[in-house]
Amino acid sequence: MSKICVIGTGYVGLVTGVCFADLGNEVHCLDINEKRITELNNGIMPIYEPGLEEIVERNVNAKRIFFTTDYEAALSQAEFAFIAVGTPSGVDGEADLQYVREAAEKIAEVVDHSIIIVNKSTVPVGTGDWAADIIRKKRGNDELEFSVVSNPEFLREGSAINDFMQPDRVVLGSFDHSAAEKVAKLYHSLRAPILITDLRTAEMIKYASNAFLATKISFINEIANICDELGADVREVADGMGLDKRIGRSFLDAGLGWGGSCFPKDVKALAHMAVLHNSQPQLLQAVMDINRNQRRRIVYKLRNVLDGSFSEKKIGVLGLSFKPNTDDMREAPATEIIYLLLNENAAVQAYDPQAMENAAAELPEITLCKDPYDTAKGVDALILATEWNEFKQLDFNRIFKLMRTPILVDGRNQWDSTRLREIGFTYIGIGQGNHNGNGGQS
Ligand code: NAD
Ligand code: UGA
């Protein structure tokens, strides 16, 4: 059993904290957001993540996890301080390190015993050294013993607990090998491969992994757009490619492009780092361009079917979170598409199973509906933006009667186009080309 402090109780911090508690450690989760900590102490989760509430409740009852805003209390006798604060995009695309800096300074201020500082936030290569410098400077010349270990996190929202408990790998980077070994022990019971590298290499593994996954998605989206024009079906192309073990099927689902709190900011930050250090990140630029255009392309396709204008048109959108099983709307493709539609004077109504509270704050210009059928009522087109399970088996005969014009835009290739066309819908998919070179419409 180890005593662990986790700084930041967002997706990564809260999941890390509760999973380490579940593995038998004593975990003190710390946040500067008082409301968040009060709610956590009252059993209210700050985010929607499947399975999170149950595992938190179990560990609160077992007195293995505690929530506080008090740095001194949380760090008292902690062997490990995990940093899991946000690293959003700065003005120029760089990672904004202000929260990491504040966390490092606070640790330097209050710690009075030797400690291993483990960074889980996604940070530019070199940040581990930078954080160590901040702590040393703040302490002056005293003899505080500390080591910095980079431990990038690879969990996905929507399956975060599972991803943490069954990781493909654990990456640890440090110049202090024995500190990295101590962190490795925290993960031993998960029986995952553990890779120990130097600090900078571990930091780069995180960016390279996210950038590669984003590249896979942009690649298949580019292929999808070519499929549209040439009459091939990208879903089967992805299946055919994916059977090659060197390629793999995952992250080859064509759609509206990648969103979320990480891919967009991380690809941007890696490109920024590259330019700052005399490299030309041409591939990363193309990956971002393709992604941006994927949203515009669907608006273009729909405008064409609507005879060239969105004026006086009402559009329904199903799904507002950036992916299913989360209420996170950061950089969600749906939001970008909605703004493009609003700019062209369309009226928009939408529904999401979990993101309605966030949507009310972020998209005050649209009407929020109570379910998919309410969203279909009176619209000229219905767009599937996020592939929540509850949108997969809709009563399309009912939807056909509810819509003003029966146009379906399947932004995630989830629906059966043949059946929908039989009902009478105009169906627009992604890369499902219909051999007429007309961009997949019919
Ligand atoms: P988040 O925005 O959900 O949560 C960050 C939390 O840190 C907030 O609750 C905030 O109040 C708190 N915080 C900020 N400054 C603080 C400070 N000085 N002291 C204590 N608490 C502070 O962020 P997130 O999505 O959990 O991401 C955290 C980091 O992990 C980012 O670098 C991100 O790139 C990376 N990451 C995220 C995911 C993901 O799925 N969200 C996955 C892997 C890695
Ligand atoms: C992603 C990575 O998968 C995690 O390994 C990483 O830890 C995390 O970013 C992070 O650094 O924050 P996440 O953003 O939660 O996780 O979700 P993903 O499942 O990767 O999906 C990201 C986006 O890509 C979503 O908008 C999703 O709809 C899109 N996507 C995904 C596709 O368009 N096609 C696919 O085949 C897969």
Side-chain angles (χ1 to χ4, degrees):
M1 195 273 281
S2 299
K3 188 168 173 202
I4 298 172
C5 167
V6 180
I7 302 172
T9 58
Y11 288 88
V12 170
L14 188 52
V15 169
T16 300
V18 77
C19 288
F20 276 139
D22 214 49
L23 294 172
N25 300 290
E26 179 182 322
V27 180
H28 293 257
C29 288
L30 172 91
D31 207 292
I32 46 172
N33 183 334
E34 287 186 14
K35 178 170 175 272
R36 190 163 269 216
I37 292 300
T38 308
E39 286 182 352
L40 278 164
N41 279 322
N42 288 318
I44 300 165
M45 297 302 111
I47 51 173
Y48 172 75
E49 184 60 45
L52 183 64
E53 198 168 339
E54 294 87 318
I55 190 173
V56 168
E57 193 185 326
R58 178 162 78 235
N59 286 285
V60 166
N61 290 341
K63 299 203 173 1
R64 283 191 296 257
I65 193 163
F66 305 89
F67 301 105
T68 180
T69 54
D70 182 345
Y71 261 91
E72 220 159 314
L75 282 164
S76 146
Q77 292 169 31
E79 297 152 67
F80 303 94
F82 280 77
I83 298 180
V85 298
T87 49
S89 276
V91 280
D92 199 24
E94 79 283 9
D96 178 349
L97 291 178
Q98 63 167 312
Y99 304 110
V100 179
R101 172 189 283 281
E102 282 163 21
E105 285 176 346
K106 269 302 207 187
I107 293 171
E109 227 173 276
V110 306
V111 163
D112 56 4
H113 58 283
S114 82
I115 191 159
I116 297 175
I117 299 161
V118 190
N119 181 46
K120 255 199 185 296
S121 296
T122 303
V123 291
V125 176
T127 301
D129 302 321
W130 170 88
D133 269 358
I134 289 176
I135 295 170
R136 262 184 236 112
K137 261 191 209 140
K138 186 107 194 159
R139 296 293 294 207
N141 281 333
D142 81 352
E143 297 294 309
L144 175 70
E145 260 183 59
F146 72 95
S147 306
V148 176
V149 177
S150 163
N151 172 210
E153 180 51 60
F154 301 101
L155 63 78
R156 289 161 299 173
E157 292 181 22
S159 54
I161 308 275
N162 234 22
D163 288 348
F164 188 96
M165 290 300 203
Q166 290 165 27
D168 288 343
R169 78 302 207 185
V170 172
V171 174
L172 300 169
S174 185
F175 288 112
D176 179 347
H177 198 83
S178 83
E181 292 278 8
K182 284 182 190 150
V183 181
K185 281 207 180 106
L186 295 174
Y187 289 100
H188 272 164
S189 59
L190 302 181
R191 296 176 185 279
I194 295 178
L195 179 69
I196 298 185
T197 68
D198 62 61
L199 251 177
R200 286 172 180 244
T201 303
E203 289 166 344
M204 182 53 105
I205 288 172
K206 173 64 192 173
Y207 277 106
S209 301
N210 271 5
F212 185 75
L213 292 171
T215 302
K216 256 186 123 174
I217 302 168
S218 282
F219 176 86
I220 201 66
N221 282 333
E222 180 151 298
I223 296 293
N225 299 341
I226 303 172
C227 283
D228 262 347
E229 301 307 322
L230 294 180
D233 188 331
V234 73
R235 295 165 302 177
E236 289 174 33
V237 172
D239 290 345
M241 288 171 64
L243 285 169
D244 184 328
K245 290 192 186 68
R246 293 168 304 171
I247 297 174
R249 177 63 180 81
S250 64
F251 280 73
L252 285 181
D253 288 323
L256 301 175
W258 36 272
S261 66
C262 291
F263 283 178
K265 80 171 171 62
D266 292 347
V267 180
K268 230 189 280 173
L270 182 55
H272 185 270
M273 244 182 277
V275 174
L276 261 188
H277 294 90
N278 197 30
S279 297
Q280 296 306 316
Q282 293 170 33
L283 176 62
L284 299 179
Q285 292 298 353
V287 165
M288 289 187 277
D289 287 348
I290 293 168
N291 199 51
R292 199 172 312 115
N293 288 339
Q294 205 61 12
R295 279 78 140 137
R296 296 173 183 165
R297 188 176 158 87
I298 206 71
V299 172
Y300 163 81
K301 279 185 179 184
L302 180 56
R303 192 194 302 108
N304 271 356
V305 181
L306 289 171
D307 297 329
S309 167
F310 285 107
S311 176
E312 310 283 313
K313 297 289 192 298
K314 196 191 274 185
I315 311 295
V317 177
L318 295 178
L320 295 168
S321 56
F322 81 95
K323 62 181 277 191
N325 299 319
T326 179
D327 59 354
D328 196 341
M329 284 180 60
R330 289 179 279 184
E331 306 249 2
T335 308
E336 214 172 314
I337 289 168
I338 287 170
Y339 276 118
L340 291 173
L341 295 171
L342 292 172
N343 281 346
E344 296 197 34
N345 287 337
V348 178
Q349 56 191 43
Y351 166 75
D352 186 279
Q354 289 293 338
M356 297 302 259
E357 213 177 304
N358 289 338
E362 285 179 36
L363 293 166
E365 305 89 339
I366 70 169
T367 306
L368 295 176
C369 300
K370 65 175 196 303
D371 61 32
Y373 302 99
D374 195 26
T375 314
K377 217 176 274 172
V379 296
D380 296 283
L382 188 62
I383 303 177
L384 176 69
T386 316
E387 68 279 30
W388 284 89
N389 275 344
E390 72 168 86
F391 301 148
K392 290 182 180 167
Q393 308 275 342
L394 295 169
D395 179 348
F396 284 104
N397 288 309
R398 184 172 163 204
I399 287 186
F400 185 80
K401 288 184 202 131
L402 287 168
M403 291 174 72
R404 183 156 66 188
T405 330
I407 299 170
L408 294 179
V409 180
D410 184 357
R412 298 287 176 179
N413 282 346
Q414 294 293 315
W415 294 332
D416 178 347
S417 59
T418 311
R419 220 193 105 228
L420 294 172
R421 287 186 179 119
E422 276 164 17
I423 295 174
F425 284 106
T426 297
Y427 174 89
I428 304 173
I430 307 282
Q432 300 182 34
N434 65 357
H435 305 268
N436 294 325
N438 67 348
Q441 308 152 13
S442 74

